[in-house]
Amino acid sequence: MKSNLDLVNACDNFPYRDDDPDTYDKLVSSCYEFVVLGSRRTVGYVQPWVVEKMPWGKNWVVDHDKKRLFPYVEGLSPDKFSEQSQVIDETLRVAREKGAFEVLEKWRNELYTVHGPAQLIKMERSGSPLFGIVTYGVHMTAYVNTRDGMKIWVPKRAKGKTYGGLLDNTVAGGIPTGEPPFECLVREAAEEASFPEDLVRSNARSCGTISYFSLRDKRAGGESDLFQPEIQFVYDMEVGEDVVPKPCDDEVADFRLWTVGEVQEAISKEYFKPNCALLLIDFFIRHGILTPQNETNYVEIVSRLHRKLPFPTATAM
């Protein structure tokens, strides 16, 4: 049985400099900084073994002394972000053809945006952990207030998906380029849970964000120890007892309606996808279920659910 802080540590597992300066400095100093020209900001960390295996072409500058890398197209001004996006796309496609990285075997044909002062560049979703960029998603908890107390709709992930067979939040998904968070939620709710659009638009409530910095493991698909800093837009939706989610795509095996106690027990036994456990801990905090009176590590947990990431984040979505 894991404590709530154990679960936070398992997902937000990139070291903190204040807690372990030696481990932090050793890891960060070994990485290459991924820089976007025109921004002059580091937007991700790249593992040195990724740098060794990536088929960098002529349109990349890879500085092994300064441990910095960035796409560069001769003759174009550095604020030509579309050209930099094209360089990244071409490189990832070559890497995929060569079988350089397992993570690219799950090619999504879906773009993620690298954010900074503006929406800077775009890259194939499956390639994002190779560059360690900040990614964004939406997560919603649908719950029912019954005579017996609150109950939560919990889906089980399909066996063929990453983290196959683990439990998830009611609705969740990554935010692709060009789609606002709420519109992403509406789409995912229909695809994953068969929730009608008007139900979600009328009842889903925005509840802020959580953020964490993960070192991926094999369950995420592909190589271990890739960097995954993430920000999740959080939503709640209270529904009536007559509303029953149903799988609509191949991502969800089934749904079950559980009491808060059943969900807490499953979380402590690590039956949930790691980041989904954090979303539910946040849900319990916001609904007064997890309090300073019943959680010794309350302040630490609340702080850790909102990690300040070392890269620029979106000013607008």
Side-chain angles (χ1 to χ4, degrees):
M1 302 277 282
K2 298 291 185 179
S3 71
N4 289 316
L5 185 56
D6 288 336
L7 296 164
V8 173
N9 288 333
C11 184
D12 185 40
N13 58 3
F14 191 93
Y16 283 77
R17 196 174 198 280
D18 289 344
D19 295 340
D20 191 349
D22 290 340
T23 300
Y24 176 90
D25 290 341
K26 182 179 179 181
L27 179 57
V28 172
S29 65
S30 71
C31 297
Y32 284 66
E33 296 181 359
F34 174 42
V35 178
V36 177
L37 291 182
S39 163
R40 297 185 180 181
R41 295 287 301 276
T42 298
V43 295
Y45 290 151
V46 184
Q47 288 277 24
W49 53 266
V50 172
V51 176
E52 291 178 8
K53 295 177 66 176
M54 187 69 74
W56 309 109
K58 63 179 182 179
N59 290 325
W60 282 93
V61 173
V62 181
D63 188 329
H64 296 291
D65 294 325
K66 295 182 178 179
K67 290 195 171 179
R68 299 171 75 240
L69 57 90
F70 51 88
Y72 177 76
V73 181
E74 187 174 356
L76 291 177
S77 60
D79 61 347
K80 295 292 186 180
F81 298 124
S82 61
E83 283 77 5
Q84 295 183 65
S85 299
Q86 184 177 346
V87 170
I88 295 168
D89 183 68
E90 291 171 352
T91 303
L92 288 174
R93 289 182 184 276
V94 172
R96 179 193 181 197
E97 292 171 3
K98 291 179 176 292
F101 302 102
E102 293 177 39
V103 73
L104 296 180
E105 294 174 8
K106 297 287 187 179
W107 194 272
R108 304 290 291 267
N109 285 315
E110 183 177 305
L111 295 177
Y112 272 177
T113 300
V114 180
H115 290 269
Q119 293 188 356
L120 297 177
I121 60 175
K122 305 169 181 63
M123 71 169 63
E124 156 63 29
R125 174 174 176 168
S126 65
S128 60
L130 295 171
F131 289 89
I133 64 168
V134 179
T135 59
Y136 299 79
V138 294
H139 283 244
M140 182 173 74
T141 302
Y143 64 97
V144 186
N145 280 315
T146 74
R147 292 180 181 178
D148 301 320
M150 178 186 287
K151 294 185 178 181
I152 296 171
W153 281 110
V154 177
K156 184 176 183 179
R157 294 174 68 84
K159 286 287 188 182
K161 305 300 291 183
T162 56
Y163 297 97
L166 291 185
L167 303 176
D168 208 325
N169 298 127
T170 316
V171 173
I175 302 176
T177 295
E179 188 171 42
F182 189 70
E183 296 306 315
C184 178
L185 177 71
V186 171
R187 176 179 56 78
E188 292 284 358
E191 292 176 357
E192 294 185 353
S194 304
F195 282 143
E197 179 179 341
D198 59 346
L199 174 74
V200 179
R201 291 193 182 279
S202 300
N203 294 280
R205 183 168 60 91
S206 176
C207 301
T209 63
I210 72 166
S211 53
Y212 48 86
F213 197 161
S214 296
L215 284 166
R216 289 162 57 107
D217 61 32
K218 278 287 187 181
R219 295 174 300 172
E223 293 80 358
S224 297
D225 294 329
L226 293 173
F227 302 124
Q228 190 154 8
E230 288 194 306
I231 295 175
Q232 305 292 355
F233 289 81
V234 182
Y235 296 86
D236 289 351
M237 186 170 75
E238 182 178 356
V239 297
E241 295 184 64
D242 59 325
V243 176
V244 179
K246 299 178 180 63
C248 186
D249 58 18
D250 63 351
E251 296 194 9
V252 175
D254 58 58
F255 286 89
R256 65 284 313 271
L257 186 61
W258 277 359
T259 65
V260 168
E262 289 173 320
V263 173
Q264 288 178 313
E265 181 180 0
I267 289 174
S268 70
K269 292 180 177 178
E270 297 183 281
Y271 292 164
F272 275 85
K273 184 171 176 273
N275 66 335
C276 296
L278 267 59
L279 268 295
L280 284 164
I281 290 171
D282 175 71
F283 178 88
F284 295 146
I285 290 169
R286 292 185 289 100
H287 286 262
I289 296 166
L290 197 65
T291 69
Q293 287 70 45
N294 60 30
E295 173 52 69
T296 304
N297 298 302
Y298 184 86
V299 173
E300 173 74 4
I301 289 168
V302 172
S303 175
R304 293 280 297 282
L305 291 175
H306 303 90
R307 180 169 186 159
K308 183 173 175 58
L309 300 174
F311 313 118
T313 53
T315 55
M317 296 287 288

